[in-house]
Amino acid sequence: MKAVILYFNYICRRRVLNHHLEMAAPQFTLSVLVCALLICSVTAYPNGRVARSCAGMIPQHNHSPQSDPVHKITVSQMKFKPGDQIKVTLSGPPFRGFLLEARNAEDLSGPPIGTFTLIDSDSSQILTCEDVQGFAVSHTSSSIKTEIKVYWNAPSSAPDHVQFLATVVQKYKIYWVKIPGPVISQPSAPPFTTPEATTQPLTMAPSVSHLTKPFSASECGNKKFCVRSPLNCDPENEPACVFLSFTRENQSVMVEMSGPSDGYVSFAFSHDQWMGDDDAYLCIYEDQTVYIQPSYLTGRSYPVMDSRGTLEDMAWRLADGVIQCSFRRNITLPEAKNRFVLNESYYIFYAEGAAHDGRIFRHSQQPLITYEKYNVTGTPQNVGGSRSSALLKAHGALMFVAWVTTVSTGVLVARFFRSVWSKAFFFGQAAWFQVHRMLMLATSMLTCVAFVLPFVYRAGWSWRAGYHPYLGCIVMTLAVLQPLLATFRPPLHDPRRQVFNWTHWSVGTAARIIAVAAMFLGMDLPGLDLPSPQKTYAMMGFVVWHIGTEVILEIHAYLLSRKVEILDDDRIQILQSLTVAEAEGHVFKKVVLAVYICGNVTFLMIFLSAISHV
């Protein structure tokens, strides 16, 4: 029954259902790919694998449990001896999730007692708690249930009195914790006396106040350590400003966080630039209220909410679609093992996303991450960050250079400039061929370098990038295959030359088409986080620009051939007219190529500018 999702780089549940949307193939749309999937209404663990909740039996749903139980636990017998098997039944109004345990009735805060055996494995499953299999039973799915039956096996070291406890989840906001069941006793045990407190009291939430005015960036770099995006924005005047500030006050730190969102804003301290094993804090908007919640990110999985009162002086404000919250936290919290010491250096993450009915979903765009580690309790600074890795930026930039400039220009030169630059150049080969070969080799080399970078960044294959990496592998293969095929080009008048020409054209054309498709898909990935819809318009503009240029040159070539045919038929000043026609054609082609290259450079600058600003 853990926990609501935060999907920071990488924060999100990994992933009961999130995988389906997160990296379904990005479409050629005008919007950023938003990976937000509504998870089951009972819990972030609809599969019931909630071994982390064995100790406290508390589902961390960021809501208070119900006080009056409506479900009951019954047993087949009230007396037991070691080795007995007792049927235990949990029943009541329809519910979706549950956790059932047996405890020492005289010490309900102690570890579970005995083990369970399933009766219906379709609706229940045994859990391993404290390295002991069968200590507890939970649901297998979020389907509606009204009754659960299991067997409890009495251990040889059982205490005199055993009580059954159950946590039942009706829906996300409605759940009961440690519903007390009957107390069963060994035959020779003294009468059971109910302890003063039968359940461990839940931690009361600290008081929260309202902020009366927006945060100010006037003291950033002076008294406050600030993280801002854009770098010099001020949340007091700019609602779109992403703002984090840390102010040290003796042995505590006052934190302020502000950003546009209709769901939640959050930040985390991390030892690296990857999500996982991080100290995170969320401000979640729900029912006109903001809940301030510390959490811990385990691995690359869901956040574990911390129910202990580790935060003080909490306050919040909602205005103009902006969530603002503040709290105070001690620099050291020795009693909380998952809270980082704040007088050390960390990367700082900031993310925002959607929230509904108390549940949070994967962040709507790539988290903002500081460029280096910082100590927020040290010298006040004013820093920024990026929502994209430098390696991914380099990958995108190199691919754009290769497939927007070099390859497209090389194709036009080979197709239309054979007669324009037919004179021999280096090694006795025509100038057009040398230019074509140089541009194509540059394309292959740029593609090879760019291809490696995402693997270095991910340290392996990315399973959440949709079809983009698959298309990239195809493009990489064709980019390497094409120059290899060219080395086996037959002589001009060889019978196999026609086969080679068609093969060379087919492989090159396929590579260009697939590369454009891969770039469309790659631009929508959150790892690059290019602005939308400008990115789509720019890419579509390049495609239209290139096709339009080829059409113009094809039409010109056709008209020129028709003019030559007419001159040849009329036999009027044939040689002189042909020379003039060819000269005019060459000038026109050169002008078109110059304009085309200028246009390509413009598109490339647009792409590179967008990449450099994310």
Side-chain angles (χ1 to χ4, degrees):
M1 298 179 199
K2 297 244 204 239
V4 288
I5 303 177
L6 174 63
Y7 197 57
F8 247 157
N9 184 49
Y10 292 93
I11 304 175
C12 73
R13 261 185 65 214
R14 294 244 208 293
R15 266 323 186 246
V16 176
L17 289 175
N18 196 31
H19 180 73
H20 297 296
L21 263 188
E22 182 181 7
M23 283 297 139
Q27 305 298 317
F28 303 158
T29 62
L30 304 181
S31 61
V32 175
L33 177 63
V34 177
C35 304
L37 184 62
L38 181 65
I39 53 176
C40 171
S41 61
V42 52
T43 173
Y45 264 141
N47 58 15
R49 295 170 186 168
V50 293
R52 294 173 181 270
S53 291
C54 287
M57 299 186 70
I58 302 174
Q60 298 176 5
H61 290 189
N62 202 33
H63 293 279
S64 299
Q66 305 297 306
S67 56
D68 299 322
V70 295
H71 301 82
K72 64 179 181 178
I73 304 172
T74 58
V75 294
S76 59
Q77 60 191 64
M78 298 301 294
K79 296 290 184 179
F80 77 94
K81 58 183 181 296
D84 282 356
Q85 193 172 66
I86 298 174
K87 180 184 288 187
V88 183
T89 303
L90 171 63
S91 60
F95 59 95
R96 296 180 180 272
F98 72 93
L99 180 64
L100 178 65
E101 296 181 11
R103 301 278 181 100
N104 184 343
E106 297 176 345
D107 182 18
L108 294 179
S109 62
I113 301 296
T115 60
F116 288 91
T117 300
L118 300 180
I119 294 178
D120 181 6
S121 59
D122 290 335
S123 59
S124 58
Q125 63 181 328
I126 59 175
L127 297 180
T128 299
C129 302
E130 300 185 6
D131 297 326
V132 177
Q133 187 177 26
F135 257 6
V137 183
S138 72
H139 53 283
T140 58
S141 70
S142 60
S143 61
I144 295 177
K145 316 161 186 64
T146 57
E147 184 178 77
I148 294 294
K149 293 183 178 181
V150 294
Y151 288 115
W152 178 73
N153 307 303
S156 59
S157 57
D160 290 340
H161 308 283
V162 173
Q163 184 172 24
F164 295 94
L165 302 174
T167 290
V168 177
V169 178
Q170 189 177 85
K171 59 182 182 178
Y172 195 82
K173 286 185 177 181
I174 302 176
Y175 58 90
W176 294 262
V177 174
K178 289 187 176 180
I179 299 173
V183 177
I184 60 175
S185 305
Q186 296 201 48
S188 59
F192 174 68
T193 302
T194 304
E196 293 183 3
T198 58
T199 60
Q200 184 177 2
L202 296 175
T203 302
M204 298 300 293
S207 60
V208 181
S209 62
H210 291 268
L211 295 167
T212 58
K213 59 181 181 179
F215 301 135
S216 173
S218 60
E219 295 182 332
C220 287
N222 182 18
K223 293 183 179 180
K224 296 179 179 180
F225 183 101
C226 296
V227 180
R228 293 189 281 174
S229 180
L231 182 58
N232 294 315
C233 67
D234 190 339
E236 191 171 20
N237 305 314
E238 304 169 59
C241 178
V242 169
F243 178 79
L244 269 174
S245 76
F246 304 88
T247 306
R248 178 167 184 170
E249 299 176 0
N250 297 322
Q251 296 304 309
S252 65
V253 175
M254 190 68 189
V255 180
E256 298 173 332
M257 176 164 53
S258 174
S261 177
D262 58 359
Y264 70 90
V265 295
S266 58
F267 79 93
F269 297 110
S270 179
H271 294 289
D272 52 37
Q273 291 184 302
W274 290 93
M275 295 313 305
D277 301 323
D278 304 328
D279 183 1
Y281 301 84
L282 300 87
C283 295
I284 307 168
Y285 170 48
E286 180 191 0
D287 297 333
Q288 302 302 314
T289 302
V290 174
Y291 297 93
I292 303 173
Q293 181 70 57
S295 66
Y296 182 74
L297 304 175
T298 304
R300 296 179 60 80
S301 186
Y302 54 86
V304 179
M305 299 299 177
D306 191 346
S307 59
R308 290 169 295 188
T310 56
L311 307 182
E312 301 174 350
D313 299 338
M314 294 188 291
W316 59 271
R317 180 177 181 269
L318 293 170
D320 302 322
V322 175
I323 298 177
Q324 295 187 327
C325 60
S326 64
F327 58 87
R328 184 187 307 279
R329 211 214 83 170
N330 287 340
I331 293 177
T332 59
L333 292 170
E335 72 282 1
K337 66 176 182 178
N338 291 329
R339 302 274 75 84
F340 289 4
V341 177
L342 297 187
N343 55 5
E344 296 180 2
S345 295
Y346 307 101
Y347 289 102
I348 303 172
F349 288 65
Y350 172 92
E352 68 283 324
H356 177 70
D357 195 28
R359 291 161 292 171
I360 61 175
F361 304 99
R362 185 184 185 273
H363 47 76
S364 54
Q365 58 180 324
Q366 196 75 354
L368 180 75
I369 307 174
T370 56
Y371 297 108
E372 57 185 273
K373 292 182 177 181
Y374 294 101
N375 181 353
V376 297
T377 63
T379 303
Q381 297 183 58
N382 186 35
V383 303
S386 173
R387 293 184 183 269
S388 180
S389 163
L391 289 176
L392 294 185
K393 290 181 181 181
H395 167 76
L398 292 176
M399 284 299 188
F400 280 128
V401 171
W403 297 96
V404 170
T405 56
T406 58
V407 75
S408 57
T409 305
V411 167
L412 293 184
V413 169
R415 176 70 182 86
F416 300 103
F417 285 79
R418 294 173 183 249
S419 61
V420 178
W421 295 325
S422 59
K423 293 182 179 180
F425 201 50
F426 293 119
F427 306 110
Q429 294 176 322
W432 72 265
F433 178 77
Q434 297 286 14
V435 173
H436 171 75
R437 181 167 59 183
M438 176 186 67
L439 291 174
M440 292 310 182
L441 287 176
T443 298
S444 296
M445 289 187 291
L446 290 171
T447 301
C448 290
V449 174
F451 180 79
V452 174
L453 298 180
F455 290 94
V456 175
Y457 171 69
R458 289 289 183 187
W461 182 266
S462 175
W463 297 104
R464 294 179 169 84
Y467 293 135
H468 175 74
Y470 298 99
L471 295 182
C473 288
I474 296 174
V475 171
M476 176 64 192
T477 302
L478 296 178
V480 173
L481 180 62
Q482 190 74 326
L484 291 178
L485 288 174
T487 60
F488 297 99
R489 181 182 58 172
L492 182 60
H493 301 292
D494 191 288
R496 297 170 299 171
R497 182 60 177 260
Q498 193 70 9
V499 175
F500 167 82
N501 288 342
W502 278 106
T503 303
H504 189 65
W505 177 87
S506 300
V507 172
T509 302
R512 292 164 58 206
I513 294 174
I514 298 173
V516 170
M519 285 192 288
F520 265 109
L521 298 179
M523 290 190 307
D524 277 337
L525 293 178
L528 197 55
D529 195 44
L530 292 178
S532 181
Q534 295 88 343
K535 61 184 180 184
T536 306
Y537 291 152
M539 195 64 199
M540 292 175 64
F542 162 72
V543 173
V544 172
W545 175 255
H546 179 78
I547 294 176
T549 302
E550 286 208 30
V551 169
I552 290 173
L553 289 174
E554 287 285 1
I555 293 174
H556 173 264
Y558 172 77
L559 294 177
L560 183 61
S561 65
R562 291 290 301 159
K563 184 175 181 180
V564 171
E565 289 176 6
I566 293 172
L567 290 171
D568 187 52
D569 290 340
D570 292 343
R571 304 289 180 180
I572 302 173
Q573 297 179 341
I574 297 176
L575 294 178
Q576 181 180 359
S577 299
L578 285 177
T579 302
V580 172
E582 288 182 355
E584 291 175 352
H586 293 176
V587 171
F588 179 80
K589 289 180 179 180
K590 291 177 182 178
V591 171
V592 171
L593 182 62
V595 174
Y596 175 77
I597 292 175
C598 290
N600 276 16
V601 171
T602 301
F603 283 113
L604 182 61
M605 291 300 103
I606 293 174
F607 292 132
L608 296 182
S609 177
I611 291 175
S612 65
H613 284 87
V614 297

